[in-house]
Amino acid sequence: MVLHTSPYSSAFLRCLSSLSWGFIFPCYWLLDRLLSSCVATSLEKRRRSQDPCSFVTLYVLVSTPLYLLLLLASLPFALLGFLLWATLQTARHPYLYTHRRPDKHQAEQGGVASLADWRPQGRSFCFGSSNVCLLPDSLARFNNLSETQRRAREVGKRIRNGASRPQIKIYIDSPTNTSISATSFSSLVTGFRRTSSLGQRPDNTPEAETEPVTDCPIHTTGPNCPIHTAGADCPIHSKGDQGSSDCPIHVAGGEDTPECPLHTAGSQNNSDCPLHTTGAQNSPDCPMHASGVQISISAPEPDPPEAGTGNHQGEGDAESLTGGVSSNNTLSHRTSMFKKHSGRKRRQGDDGFDHEISAFFPANLDFLCLQEVFDHRAMSRLRQQLHHYFPYILSDVGRYAWKGCCSRFKFLNSGVMMASRYPILDAHYECYPNGRGEDALAAKGVLFVKVQVGTSHQEQRVVGYLTCTHLHAIEGDAAVRCEQLDLLLVWGAEFRKMTSRPSEEKGLEDQVAFDVVLGDLNFDNCSSEDKLEQQHAVFTQYKDPCRLGPGEDKPWALGTLLDTSGLYDEEVSSPESLQKVMENEEGRKEYLVFPTNKNHCPNQKGRKIPLKGNGRRIDYILYREEVQQDWKVDIEEFSFITQLAGLTDHLSVAMRLAVSTGEEEP
């Protein structure tokens, strides 16, 4: 199967398409601005009320007649361009595949996943999904969101900053402490202090370098430090190391290297350990070597500055919403190990995997599925940012006009976008033919992707299948969503069958490592109105990690649909503050959307408060447990992510799978 690297098969058609859009765009932009001036977000209303002398009202009164006049003048050109554009859609490909070769810095930091020989112990793969609501600005305002182009840039920056962090985990298992302290979802910062977000990292200023250590989990302030006494040199925080890019704990990236100031001579249990004396390695008094402590560190090199990235086109506006964003080299190897809330991450019951509410996207994110990337200019900005981390991207997915869906004219594409660190082998898109109402104006459908994740010792390709989708959104149309899920299963089986044929070169069948479904399914597992979808056959073929059964989620599962009226409240204005709110039951009731109930009573802000539950979880990641004979697929962790706070009305979700062959290492 050939991947489409251009919307059209010939340069002439591409030229005609650009010409048609050139005629349409002035009218489209003016209409968007005209409608936007009539719909204000809650943040804009608040600013106007706080500033009675604001000139916004005067601006609207002056600009509206001007926009309307220019709109009327552009209509004849837009009509001509629209006729040409609609005709060209019959020859347009259903997606655009882009591949950016990584430069030296990206290759060093692990931006491209390795396709080395597949080992029996297998690998782990991380999947993410998010609805980013990148509609034209006038339509996004009905969800209380604005500035689509700015949000698209910022979404891309936050995702790649979160995914390119070093992955660090500290597991503590002792008779007195069964919780897990995990820093894999934390930023790495100077002086062992936590930053507000990855988009607001500290600069390498003298003030930042000389800031005192305050939250070191290894030693406490005062004379009772278990590591260094008064006048003694600290083996961890040596003088000058706070502002250095060298790791003060495990230099040269090795835990057992002779140069390690903690584990000299390559042994954890060496009597010369500066933290504890001989025989105290497993005592509760040792701050580092408590019983069952496991430290796992995977720290890729930082991204280069955007201006110096040779294989990516610059936008000229590399500043984030909060000002300048420094590159990741301020975070190289400095670990922020702070005591986390006990509710952040824990093992509970029979889950057998970790789950948490995280302020950041997982480190080493391998695959990302986005929904509602409808606006074409926003899609280009988002794709440019994501290409700094993901080499392979499928965007502009869907059909326009009348082709490929049904008799309904499609003004918008599917809104689905998929990014991967692994090479994409095949891709196929299908449009749902049963859309209704306003949903029928978009070519909502499903994108099937086959990726190569390794090579076996027998030179067989090890592959994975991903299904990215966005189902019908209108409430009460359960039958429509169930029919779409039926089609998803049928089309998925056909795609796997069509792409599983042995390669012509060697005649060896591919080995399948995973089969995952990601997307916004627009129904939850607890609402009484969604009972039909909750019992669909998709949940017999794929497993939902957050689900106990039809109508019942696991206690830690969290709703992913935010109440749009509270998007700009100070309590949820940043990833960290939204994370704290989501960890609190009262906060969830305040800012998440819950299934409707006549018995709900309003709170002090007029929002309806349910009696129980954790909100509507409509964003899913499902996986197939048995994809290859004798292979084992286990879930390692599941995360609800708040890093896109203020940029969308959904929480993101992520899942990490461990895939192994079940064989012993030769």
Side-chain angles (χ1 to χ4, degrees), residues 548-587:
L548 287 174
E552 185 179 7
D553 274 348
K554 295 180 179 179
W556 52 264
L558 192 66
T560 59
L561 187 60
L562 297 172
D563 189 336
T564 56
S565 62
L567 292 180
Y568 302 105
D569 287 1
E570 186 177 355
E571 294 85 351
V572 294
S573 59
S574 69
E576 289 81 7
S577 59
L578 179 57
Q579 177 191 33
K580 292 179 181 178
V581 167
M582 291 297 105
E583 290 170 350
N584 180 271
E585 183 178 359
E586 293 302 319

Side-chain angles (χ1 to χ4, degrees), residues 488-502:
L488 182 148
L489 294 177
V490 172
W491 290 336
E494 293 176 353
F495 177 74
R496 290 188 295 273
K497 182 179 179 180
M498 179 177 57
T499 59
S500 63
R501 298 171 183 173

Side-chain angles (χ1 to χ4, degrees), residues 219-425:
H219 65 271
T220 58
T221 57
N224 298 322
C225 175
I227 297 181
H228 49 72
T229 57
D233 294 332
C234 175
I236 298 178
H237 300 137
S238 57
K239 184 178 180 180
D241 278 345
Q242 289 91 332
S244 170
S245 61
D246 296 328
C247 174
I249 300 180
H250 301 131
V251 294
E255 182 175 309
D256 297 325
T257 57
E259 294 82 10
C260 176
L262 301 186
H263 307 140
T264 56
S267 174
Q268 269 190 334
N269 297 325
N270 191 284
S271 61
D272 296 329
C273 177
L275 302 189
H276 49 62
T277 58
T278 305
Q281 285 89 336
N282 295 325
S283 70
D285 298 329
C286 175
M288 284 296 288
H289 299 150
S291 175
V293 173
Q294 301 177 14
I295 301 179
S296 172
I297 302 179
S298 173
E301 290 295 326
D303 275 331
E306 290 186 24
T309 306
N311 291 331
H312 305 288
Q313 297 176 356
E315 289 187 62
D317 47 2
E319 302 298 316
S320 70
L321 298 174
T322 57
V325 179
S326 58
S327 61
N328 280 342
N329 42 359
T330 62
L331 308 176
S332 297
H333 302 285
R334 290 185 291 275
T335 310
S336 173
M337 295 187 290
F338 50 87
K339 185 176 180 180
K340 288 203 170 190
H341 233 277
S342 60
R344 294 278 175 87
K345 190 167 187 175
R346 61 170 67 97
R347 293 183 187 270
Q348 289 182 345
D350 299 327
D351 286 341
F353 60 89
D354 304 333
H355 43 81
E356 72 170 5
I357 303 171
S358 171
F360 308 106
F361 275 86
N364 302 326
L365 181 64
D366 295 308
F367 307 99
L368 177 67
C369 175
L370 300 176
Q371 303 89 46
E372 292 197 11
V373 188
F374 288 118
D375 187 87
H376 193 272
R377 290 185 299 152
M379 176 200 67
S380 299
R381 286 173 166 81
L382 176 60
R383 182 178 60 212
Q384 183 178 7
Q385 293 296 325
L386 292 180
H387 260 313
H388 287 280
Y389 179 78
F390 294 101
Y392 312 95
I393 294 181
L394 294 169
S395 58
D396 201 11
V397 179
R399 300 285 190 181
Y400 295 97
W402 287 284
K403 183 184 177 181
C405 290
C406 58
S407 59
R408 297 289 185 92
F409 191 93
K410 304 298 180 183
F411 290 93
L412 300 172
N413 61 19
S414 70
V416 172
M417 187 174 186
M418 188 267 177
S420 171
R421 292 177 62 224
Y422 289 88
I424 296 176
L425 301 178

